[in-house]
């Protein structure tokens, strides 16, 4: 066995164990008996300890030293991933890592209570601790470089906040302007009627297959939060049902199928290796968003979906033409909550968080001033005031979990989706003809071939650039949104 | 931290990881997408490697040496389990252990094909290899002692084949005689009608609760084979449904609830320790069998179940009195298959396997002669000939999996159940009054208090002896069976 063989054999087992840990999370959200929570914490902690030990195993360092820089591009990419992950793990003192794990576990509980009580002051003390420890971790990882960038790198390898500031700076004013123009127009129709749970789940499974999800290597279950879990041949998704809001279920499903297809479509040769998963959160989100929005909320696809809705729930769903159904799907409304935001406003929610969390990590913004800063920024972008903390600064789980640097990947994913969609339309001029028949194969096949199959082979930016044919920028997303919503609202 | 603390902390994580491995098996039988089988093999192999490494970690030996023999009885029992497991693991060369793992994985596939083809000769070569390697393992474990005993000890710590030979030797003639007497009488009525799957599953869940299964710490799913999985606060069971045979589903459920209650009712202080699981296969089987047979197939309980059956499936189930329902539940019929055998004949199937597998391990019986030996013995005990290998020597998975020493624990469990039931009847004279109302709490409470809660604290024989008030013997089981079936068949 060469050092490379040893390294990869060891890594394969680690990846396999990481898949098991992921399945355990899936089980917890879908199948676990409610009385098993405490025992499950112990089980997960034991598994995390095994994974941490393997990821910092000094033999990895020895093998890496012997391997050097392989010439084969696949081997080089494998080694690049392993080296990056090993070096990052080695930079964080073990005590700091375990302090953070314990702290965020506590912070999550405090946050959930504070949100229920609409009481930011109850969350602030523990959030200060989380900010302090994650800042310390960022400094350790940055090794003299930018602290926030070091945290961002966990979710979007290679991304720099300064680039995102520029990109999002170009995004924000045009989104605010578009939002204002749209909301000055009469509102779109909405659905009414009853949408039984079984019908929603049946239609979810149909949509999953329609978007190319391989049910023989996955499954769809219900959970409180929709998510996708796993890589390779076992990629499971969840969705949720809300009685009066079938779009919640259906578009959550399409979104998660975007994530899941990416994992399912990676070259099988990369299974249980560092190349065998999606390359970054941003690229992952580009897949979920292009499935959900550019394809799933397109006029052509909505025409097909309208027929499916009527077949499933009967003719009385509150709209009676394909065009009105398309307008209902794409209705823009005021709202406080990021996860419920429409395609137009979603990125404004994200940009707000990105700016605030950078200020928290740099120390320019104190946790005690966070609620006011949130409310001021929200009113500036959305034109109305936050009514309560649960609808504002306390709405998202991320900061309580220490996930600083995660939010911007949502908008980066949308920007990437915009670039990919522009290239897809050029490559497949008759895209809408298929979508209008409920046939997504031209689009999903193009994404598989040009992006998904590569897994972690290229860097996030590089894989987008290869597929889109140009360096990623916010322009295509803005052009798409302005064209779509101008048409919808007659601007 | 003392050496004992270190030992227990390490062991707790190992037990937690073992629970995860068990849940992975559960997932495989219930939830896993069919296309995930290959990847799952890799995942399980990685997990097994972690567990093996932990179980043979030399630090355990160091800690054990420092701990010596604790005075506290609970600590002493923990150390006894850990020492036993560590010493056994240390005796088996790593190469032999991994050779066996690989071999049985292959043997299983060969066996399944041979069974489908009714071709013992196709299975014989790989079975020879399995026998040879397991014999080698037994010799390594026995360290000069009896080879078969060393294998048996894996499933029933402390048991000796010589004692079982004596016990089963007393069991066999009286069972053969009882069987002949019963089958000379007119057959019992059977169920007819249709028993929809949903009704069977609903009644299964009702039965699970009726027998004290804590649904907040477990769940019931469908699988090809009924089983119970997990310890502590996450103990899941499966059952199966066969359209025309509701008893298959219902009594499988009660059987698995017996196993699951044992795990659920162990003292919570033992959770994720060596004391936190059932102490042996035989004691486990005593719980599943007393739930299923002595309680679930009793005249009193059948009266209650008859009402539930009519409520669930309507009045046309083929029998129209409680007495006929009781007779249908306990119908004795000729049959080839162990897993479908009635309470009277079941042990004869097991005894046959016990005698043959001892002869295989000792070398007194060659694999090439196994099919003939099986068929001869079957005809001697059951009075008719095996019609095909799938109904005979190829019917069980155990030998292909290398599980020599496992079969006798089934009958030992029945013997234990007989002893426990005799003691239970003395302790709870009005047992039948509760059972007739579908109230099993007096029985299940007695078993929990006198046996289940102890987990691994006492040896298998000791915990039975404490609960039953006398050393285990086959007498009570035989007396119970002779009384029950004499009454049923008017002998």
């Amino acid at each position: 066995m060469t050092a490379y063989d040893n390294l990869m054999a060891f890594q394969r087992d680690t990846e396999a164990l990481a898949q098991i840990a992921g399945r355990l999370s899936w089980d917890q959200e879908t199948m676990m008996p409610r009385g098993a929570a405490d025992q499950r914490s112990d089980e997960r902690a034991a598994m995390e300890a095994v994974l941490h030990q393997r990821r910092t195993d000094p033999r990895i360092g020895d093998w890496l030293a012997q391997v050097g820089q392989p010439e084969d591009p696949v081997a080089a990419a494998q080694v690049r991933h392993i080296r990056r992950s090993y070096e990052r793990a080695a930079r964080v003192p073990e005590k700091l890592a375990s302090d953070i794990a314990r702290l965020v576990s506590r912070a999550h509980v405090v946050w959930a209570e504070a949100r229920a009580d609409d009481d930011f002051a109850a969350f602030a003390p523990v959030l200060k601790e989380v900010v302090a420890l994650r800042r310390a971790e960022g400094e350790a990882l940055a090794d003299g470089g930018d602290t926030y960038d070091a945290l961002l790198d966990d979710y979007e390898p290679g991304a720099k906040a300064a680039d995102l500031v520029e990109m999002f700076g170009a995004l924000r004013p045009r989104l605010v302007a578009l939002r204002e123009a749209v909301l000055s127009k009469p509102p779109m129709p909405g659905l009414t009627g009853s949408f039984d749970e079984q019908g929603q789940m049946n239609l979810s499974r149909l949509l999953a297959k329609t978007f190319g999800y391989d049910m023989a290597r996955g499954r769809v279950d219900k959970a409180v939060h929709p998510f996708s879990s796993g890589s390779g041949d076992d990629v499971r998704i969840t969705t949720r049902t809300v009685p009066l809001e079938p779009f919640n279920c259906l578009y959550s499903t399409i979104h998660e199928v975007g994530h899941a297809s990416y994992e399912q479509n990676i070259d099988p040769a990369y299974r249980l290796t560092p190349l065998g998963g999606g390359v970054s959160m941003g690229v992952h989100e580009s897949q979920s968003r292009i499935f959900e929005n550019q394809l799933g909320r397109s006029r052509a696809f909505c025409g097909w979906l309208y027929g499916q809705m009527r077949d499933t729930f009967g003719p009385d769903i509150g709209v009676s033409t394909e065009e009105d159904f398309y307008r209902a799907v794409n209705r823009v409304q005021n709202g406080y909550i990021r996860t419920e935001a429409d395609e137009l406003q979603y990125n404004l929610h994200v940009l707000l968080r990105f700016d605030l969390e950078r200020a928290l990590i740099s120390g320019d913004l104190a946790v005690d001033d966070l609620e006011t800063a949130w409310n001021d920024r929200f009113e500036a972008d959305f034109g109305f005031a936050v009514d309560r903390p649960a609808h504002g600064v306390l709405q998202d789980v991320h900061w309580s979990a220490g996930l600083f640097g995660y939010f911007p990947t949502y908008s980066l994913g949308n920007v990437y989706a915009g670039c990919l969609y522009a290239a897809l339309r050029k490559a497949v001029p008759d895209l809408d003809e298929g979508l209008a028949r409920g046939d997504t194969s031209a689009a999903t096949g193009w994404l598989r071939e040009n992006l998904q199959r590569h897994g972690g082979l290229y860097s996030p930016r590089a894989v987008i650039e290869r597929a889109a044919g140009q360096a990623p920028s916010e322009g295509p997303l803005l052009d798409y949104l302005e064209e779509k919503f101008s048409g919808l609202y007659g601007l």
Side-chain angles (χ1 to χ4, degrees), chain A residues 294-317:
Chain A
Q294 279 88 349
L295 303 175
R297 288 193 166 95
S298 67
R299 188 183 301 260
F301 189 76
C302 284
W304 178 82
L305 183 57
Y306 177 60
Q308 299 300 319
M309 290 284 290
R310 288 166 58 103
D311 287 353
T312 304
F313 301 112
D316 301 327
I317 60 171

Side-chain angles (χ1 to χ4, degrees), chain A residues 83-105:
Chain A
R83 180 168 284 134
R84 172 177 172 278
S85 151
Y86 181 69
E87 287 174 355
R88 283 180 70 84
R91 279 187 189 152
V92 181
E94 192 154 334
K95 179 165 182 331
L96 179 58
S98 67
D99 282 353
I100 290 175
R102 252 192 311 275
L103 174 62
V104 297
S105 167

Side-chain angles (χ1 to χ4, degrees), chain A residues 3 31 34 50 118 144 147 171 175 200 272 287 305 312 321 328 333 414 418 438 445 485:
Chain A
M31 300 292 160
R34 66 176 192 281
V50 168
D118 260 322
T147 305
L171 209 54
L175 290 179
Q200 293 194 38
L272 299 180
Q287 300 307 291
L305 183 57
T312 304
T321 66
Q333 282 180 302
N414 284 320
F485 286 95

Side-chain angles (χ1 to χ4, degrees), chain A residues 393-443:
Chain A
V393 66
L394 289 179
Q395 72 181 260
D396 286 312
V397 69
H398 300 59
W399 290 336
S400 78
L403 299 177
F404 294 92
Y406 191 116
F407 277 125
T409 68
Y410 290 129
S411 282
L412 189 58
N414 284 320
V415 165
Y416 287 164
C419 301
L420 294 170
Y421 185 63
L424 169 64
R425 291 220 70 108
K426 269 188 224 157
V428 186
D430 58 351
L431 182 64
D432 286 343
E433 288 170 33
L435 294 178
R437 296 190 309 269
D439 178 358
T440 71
S441 59

